[in-house]
């Protein structure tokens, strides 16, 4: 398994859920991987389990200074970065009338501004590396409407991906967005949500939610040179939900 041999990757929000799944597979495919998260305990545990080709750095993706530190540490340990997966994100399930300005600004910061900061900081490292691939994790709510705050920011991720793809084509860097449907991660499946998720799954054309590894397969393809002619595009992994 060497689809990412010689590549240096950075994955945000990788202490659990889909980010963790991407990190496990990237390492198995030969990459050196920097994983970041706010959750230091889980991030450190994953890095020590995965071994010497993984570095954990605690990071708040909304902070420009944290991005500078992560890139410096990545370059120091492994070299210039080839792959960035902007994965960290939060969800919010409130109505417009219930949502405070503070809550709204928080989700915009975490889901949207972080993607701008990540690309701005990592692109110079990719230029040193001679090119790269940026994968921005949006959602099917970047394609069709859902909750306030989440939908808006995930549409923004889809939009910034297209703007960045046009600019970055001048630097040998490809930029694409991934749009998962309902995926079995701690964000969605908790004790108190499990019954509702199972009920919702009956209405998905493939009649089930997905496992994180099924999204990782697309992310891996985009990270690898196999996707050499794809940039500025949307990659949907939703069991047919948006086809309905
Ligand atoms: N699970 C789904 O059904 C689903 C569907 C569509 C899109 N997504 C998107 O996929 C991505 C990953 O989701 P997941 O389901 O694995 O979520 P998750 O909640 O399981 O994991 C997200 C990780 O991001 C980290 N994080 C949150 N805020 C952060 C911050 N400010 N700085 C650094 N790290 C931070 C969390 O600590 C956590 O480890 C998110 O962008 C999410 O919006 C998820």
């Amino acid at each position: 398994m060497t689809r990412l041999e010689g590549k240096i990757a950075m994955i945000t929000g990788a202490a659990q859920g889909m980010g963790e799944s991407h990190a496990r597979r990237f390492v198995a495919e030969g990459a050196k991987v920097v994983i970041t998260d706010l959750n230091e305990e889980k991030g450190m545990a994953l890095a020590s389990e995965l071994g010497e080709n993984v570095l954990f750095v605690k990071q708040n993706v909304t902070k420009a200074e944290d991005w500078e530190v992560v890139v410096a540490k990545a370059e120091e340990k492994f070299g210039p970065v080839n792959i960035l997966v902007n994965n960290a994100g939060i969800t919010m399930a409130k109505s417009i009338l219930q949502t405070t300005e503070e809550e709204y600004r928080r989700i915009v910061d975490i889901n949207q501004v972080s993607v701008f900061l990540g690309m701005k900081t990592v692109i110079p490292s990719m230029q040193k590396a001679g090119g790269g691939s940026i994968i921005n994790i949006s959602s099917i709510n970047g394609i069709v409407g859902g909750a306030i705050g989440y939908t808006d920011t995930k549409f923004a991720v889809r939009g910034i991906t297209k703007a960045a793809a046009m600019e970055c084509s001048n630097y040998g860097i490809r930029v694409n967005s991934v749009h998962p449907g309902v995926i079995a991660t701690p964000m969605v499946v908790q004790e108190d949500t499990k019954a509702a998720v199972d009920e919702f799954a009956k209405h998905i054309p493939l009649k089930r939610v997905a496992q994180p590894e099924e999204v990782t397969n697309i992310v891996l393809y985009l990270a690898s040179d196999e996707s050499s002619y794809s940039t500025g595009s949307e990659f949907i992994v939703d069991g047919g939900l948006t086809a309905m």
Side-chain angles (χ1 to χ4, degrees), residues 16 18 37 59-61 87 138 150 154 180-181 183 185 188:
Q16 65 176 32
M18 280 187 263
D37 206 289
Q59 179 195 24
N60 182 342
V61 291
N87 168 76
S138 174
Y150 194 70
K154 292 302 185 180
I183 319 298
T185 71
V188 169

Side-chain angles (χ1 to χ4, degrees), residues 21 25 27 30 86 97 108 120 157 170 190 204 219 221 242:
S21 168
R25 186 69 189 276
V27 172
N86 275 314
L97 298 183
V108 169
K120 185 174 170 63
V157 172
N170 300 310
Q190 303 276 353
I204 298 171
V219 174
Y221 167 72
T242 50

Side-chain angles (χ1 to χ4, degrees), residues 59-75:
Q59 179 195 24
N60 182 342
V61 291
T62 68
K63 305 272 184 228
E65 57 272 27
D66 282 16
W67 276 103
E68 296 291 347
V69 170
V70 174
V71 173
K73 288 191 173 175
E75 290 192 346

Side-chain angles (χ1 to χ4, degrees), residues 185-198:
T185 71
M187 178 182 275
V188 169
V189 185
Q190 303 276 353
E191 272 306 302
D192 59 338
T193 59
K194 198 179 171 310
V197 172
D198 287 347

Side-chain angles (χ1 to χ4, degrees), residues 12-20 22 36-39 42 59-62 86-91 106 110-111 137-141 150 154 178-189 212:
T12 66
Q16 65 176 32
M18 280 187 263
E20 174 186 346
H22 306 334
T36 83
D37 206 289
L38 278 177
N39 190 328
K42 278 193 178 174
Q59 179 195 24
N60 182 342
V61 291
T62 68
N86 275 314
N87 168 76
I90 59 165
T91 186
R106 177 169 180 264
I110 296 173
N111 287 5
I137 307 299
S138 174
S139 164
I140 52 168
N141 292 133
Y150 194 70
K154 292 302 185 180
V178 171
H179 301 261
V182 187
I183 319 298
T185 71
M187 178 182 275
V188 169
V189 185

